[in-house]
Amino acid sequence: MAKKITIVQVNDTHSYLETHNEFFYTDRGITIEKAGGYAKIQTLLKEFRNGGPVVALDNGDTIHGTYEAVTTKGWNMIPILNDMSFSAMTFHWDTAYGPENLKAINQALNYPVLAGNVYDEETNKLVFDPYRIIEVDGITIGIIGIACNIVDKTMPAHFSKGIYFTLGNQELPTYVDELRRKGVDTIILLSHLGFPQDVKLISEVEGIDICLSGHTHNRIAKKVQIGQTTIIQSGAQGSFIGKLTLSYEDSTIKKVDHQLIPITEAILDDSFMKEKIEEAVSPFRQKLAVKVGETKTILHRGFNLETPMDNFLLEAMLHHAKTDVAFSNGWRYGAPIVEGGITLKELYQIIPMNPPISRVELTGAEIWEMLEENLENTYANDPYSQMGGYVKRALGLNCCFKVENPKGLRIQKLFIGHHEINLQKTYTASYVTNQGVPKKYGKNHRDLDIKAVQAMQDYLLDSGVYNQSLNGTFRLV
């Protein structure tokens, strides 16, 4: 008997509850439009559900990314998420408030957090369930979760206190076999490893029908087929969702149709969800609406090597710290800021955790080694070795590199200021978070007396209207 089931992917929303600015690539470069919002996503979900059975899944990076979520440790989102009727989620930044908070969140949600690759350090037992089995219109579906494996490798230590992460590739075949033995008709992998990693993983592990991929914010308009497995990824910040229509005959998938759906302003808000969102954000509106400066440059994170948003943050750090160079992580999240007034809310979109600015002394040799390590983390030939975001953000240096070269051999020329780097010389550097400058590099690490958001506010106050272009900090040669 022919049947159809709709699978909906929502990934990497980074707690953007409301419609917001989003960047889009055009033949003219970056343009900005309004997009996203859980009230609009809910409208589509209800529309889909009125047309037949739907399984909605969340890839994680859900409860972190805005001031409101960080301040409440994600708890302001629980009523909203529970009304979305997801079937499962996995995670990455969701453990930014510590594993115990995520365990409590798991208990508060009306669907499970799944992670077959996260273990307790003392017992070596799984911290979360590895999979869930549901029945939809007579079809039995197994959902396997894999959390982002880099949490205990590159993220701040408190993210993974008491737990550890594996890649999940060794465990996955076991879960697939278990589900097949239990009579599951369709297996969905809910992964936050990243698109390159998932492509390799699926090429190695048989038996998965659908892979919903998260983490790397790819806007995949055309489904990717690896053997019998369909892979999709659907952007970030709730600006897109992915829709798969599975056509069945006798419990077997015969056809998979895919749509990448932009969440545009034309989609009406679900009124009930809009009320819930207002409850979640209204306590913070007045504080965050304060205008703190102006920009004549669109601040965005749409490029891999360098972005105006990160340059603005780095310039504010240098303005306060007066160091030779400044570093921050290559974060992908953060809604763009258009020309005109900048609000406090938008500064928190740049760096919602608001860490202190730190200072360190680095030799030229350490800067070189750190950048080579980061280039490998970003562009490793083996996807399993890719464990960063975009290229590390930097100001005060210029790096010419060959992306195709092997590990440790990519940098061709490196300059600090206007001079070629002296490997024996010690330079001063400012940075934010362990991802900016890992503690294994440099000496005399110390936090300064100012946090990132205040530094950006002071910089805007002292410098006037922000109007800077890209510097060509990293150049492919």
Side-chain angles (χ1 to χ4, degrees):
M1 182 177 177
K3 297 179 179 180
K4 288 188 177 181
I5 296 175
T6 296
I7 309 296
V8 176
Q9 177 187 38
V10 180
N11 63 278
D12 298 89
T13 60
H14 286 287
S15 68
Y16 279 79
L17 295 177
E18 300 180 286
T19 298
H20 54 270
N21 293 328
E22 186 58 87
F23 69 85
F24 293 85
Y25 302 108
T26 72
D27 58 351
R28 303 180 306 280
I30 292 284
T31 61
I32 307 297
E33 299 177 22
K34 294 290 186 181
Y38 274 77
K40 296 183 185 301
I41 295 173
Q42 181 76 313
T43 294
L44 291 182
L45 285 175
K46 287 184 175 180
E47 178 185 312
F48 299 158
R49 286 171 173 139
N50 286 335
V54 172
V55 177
L57 295 165
D58 182 349
N59 278 82
D61 270 359
T62 303
I63 59 171
H64 183 282
T66 62
Y67 177 87
E68 299 94 327
V70 171
T71 300
T72 65
K73 297 184 178 180
W75 286 90
N76 71 316
M77 293 186 63
I78 299 303
I80 293 160
L81 295 174
N82 279 338
D83 279 346
M84 297 294 286
S85 297
F86 290 116
S87 292
M89 71 172 285
T90 191
F91 68 92
H92 175 209
W93 277 91
D94 313 275
T95 191
Y97 320 113
E100 294 305 315
N101 187 78
L102 185 57
K103 291 177 189 178
I105 291 280
N106 184 33
Q107 295 300 312
L109 292 171
N110 55 21
Y111 54 90
V113 176
L114 301 178
N117 63 323
V118 182
Y119 298 89
D120 183 275
E121 285 183 350
E122 292 186 1
T123 66
N124 293 318
K125 293 182 178 180
L126 286 172
V127 178
F128 300 94
D129 290 338
Y131 58 77
R132 180 188 188 190
I133 299 174
I134 60 175
E135 186 173 324
V136 182
D137 196 22
I139 303 295
T140 307
I141 299 175
I143 305 160
I144 304 172
I146 294 184
C148 186
N149 69 309
I150 70 171
V151 172
D152 61 345
K153 301 167 184 66
T154 66
M155 313 293 284
H158 68 272
F159 283 37
S160 57
K161 184 178 180 181
I163 63 176
Y164 68 92
F165 294 69
T166 67
L167 183 63
N169 60 329
Q170 300 300 315
E171 298 95 318
L172 188 57
T174 299
Y175 301 142
V176 172
D177 289 344
E178 283 184 22
L179 290 173
R180 293 301 183 192
R181 287 198 304 271
K182 292 180 178 180
V184 164
D185 301 310
T186 298
I187 293 180
I188 299 174
L189 176 62
L190 187 62
S191 170
H192 203 98
L193 293 179
F195 183 69
Q197 293 85 345
D198 287 327
V199 169
K200 179 174 180 178
L201 183 67
I202 293 304
S203 71
E204 296 176 340
V205 179
E206 295 182 351
I208 296 166
D209 298 292
I210 304 295
C211 175
L212 304 182
S213 177
H215 182 54
T216 44
H217 296 195
N218 283 238
R219 302 171 181 181
I220 296 178
K222 183 179 179 181
K223 66 179 183 179
V224 175
Q225 200 70 28
I226 306 293
Q228 299 301 309
T229 306
T230 299
I231 307 178
I232 65 168
Q233 194 174 111
S234 307
Q237 295 168 181
S239 299
F240 301 83
I241 62 171
K243 179 187 179 186
L244 293 173
T245 303
L246 310 185
S247 298
Y248 287 86
E249 289 183 13
D250 299 325
S251 301
T252 300
I253 298 173
K254 294 299 182 181
K255 185 182 179 185
V256 179
D257 294 308
H258 170 239
Q259 288 178 276
L260 178 67
I261 303 174
I263 307 303
T264 67
E265 282 194 290
I267 299 170
L268 297 177
D269 289 328
D270 178 81
S271 57
F272 183 73
M273 180 59 71
K274 192 174 178 65
E275 290 178 7
K276 291 245 176 226
I277 292 169
E278 185 61 26
E279 291 175 10
V281 300
S282 59
F284 311 99
R285 284 201 191 280
Q286 185 174 357
K287 171 185 174 72
L288 297 177
V290 174
K291 180 181 175 181
V292 294
E294 292 188 34
T295 178
K296 288 187 177 180
T297 301
I298 296 174
L299 305 179
H300 68 83
R301 283 189 172 132
F303 301 145
N304 196 294
L305 296 180
E306 177 188 1
T307 70
M309 180 176 283
D310 293 298
N311 281 349
F312 167 65
L313 170 61
L314 292 165
E315 286 177 24
M317 291 161 56
L318 286 177
H319 180 73
H320 181 83
K322 304 294 190 296
T323 52
D324 298 312
V325 291
F327 296 104
S328 67
N329 189 50
W331 293 297
R332 282 182 282 253
Y333 63 76
I337 302 169
V338 298
E339 303 100 318
I342 301 174
T343 65
L344 184 61
K345 179 183 179 73
E346 289 172 317
L347 293 188
Y348 276 103
Q349 289 172 187
I350 296 173
I351 188 162
M353 51 287 201
N354 192 25
I357 296 174
S358 302
R359 185 183 173 100
V360 66
E361 296 168 14
L362 296 164
T363 65
E366 286 177 310
I367 293 174
W368 188 294
E369 181 183 352
M370 182 177 70
L371 294 180
E372 282 282 12
E373 177 185 58
N374 179 253
L375 291 171
E376 172 66 10
N377 285 348
T378 309
Y379 299 121
N381 182 58
D382 181 356
Y384 289 165
S385 296
Q386 295 176 15
M387 54 180 61
Y390 291 142
V391 170
K392 185 184 297 291
R393 304 316 190 188
L395 208 60
L397 64 81
N398 291 94
C399 178
C400 301
F401 73 101
K402 287 188 173 293
V403 70
E404 70 273 20
N405 277 10
K407 176 181 178 180
L409 300 172
R410 289 187 173 93
I411 296 175
Q412 304 296 292
K413 285 287 185 179
L414 183 57
F415 300 88
I416 303 293
H418 300 292
H419 303 283
E420 191 163 350
I421 194 167
N422 182 336
L423 298 181
Q424 284 72 49
K425 182 178 177 179
T426 296
Y427 299 90
T428 57
S430 47
Y431 67 96
V432 283
T433 82
N434 182 62
Q435 293 168 290
V437 177
K439 291 295 188 288
K440 64 182 179 180
Y441 294 111
K443 62 181 181 180
N444 297 327
H445 287 263
R446 62 185 177 93
D447 293 340
L448 302 184
D449 60 351
I450 192 168
K451 293 186 175 182
V453 171
Q454 188 62 55
M456 290 187 287
Q457 286 184 258
D458 292 349
Y459 177 60
L460 287 169
L461 184 65
D462 292 344
S463 61
V465 178
Y466 184 75
N467 186 21
Q468 299 291 332
S469 59
L470 297 178
N471 300 306
T473 300
F474 289 92
R475 298 176 185 174
L476 285 169
V477 296

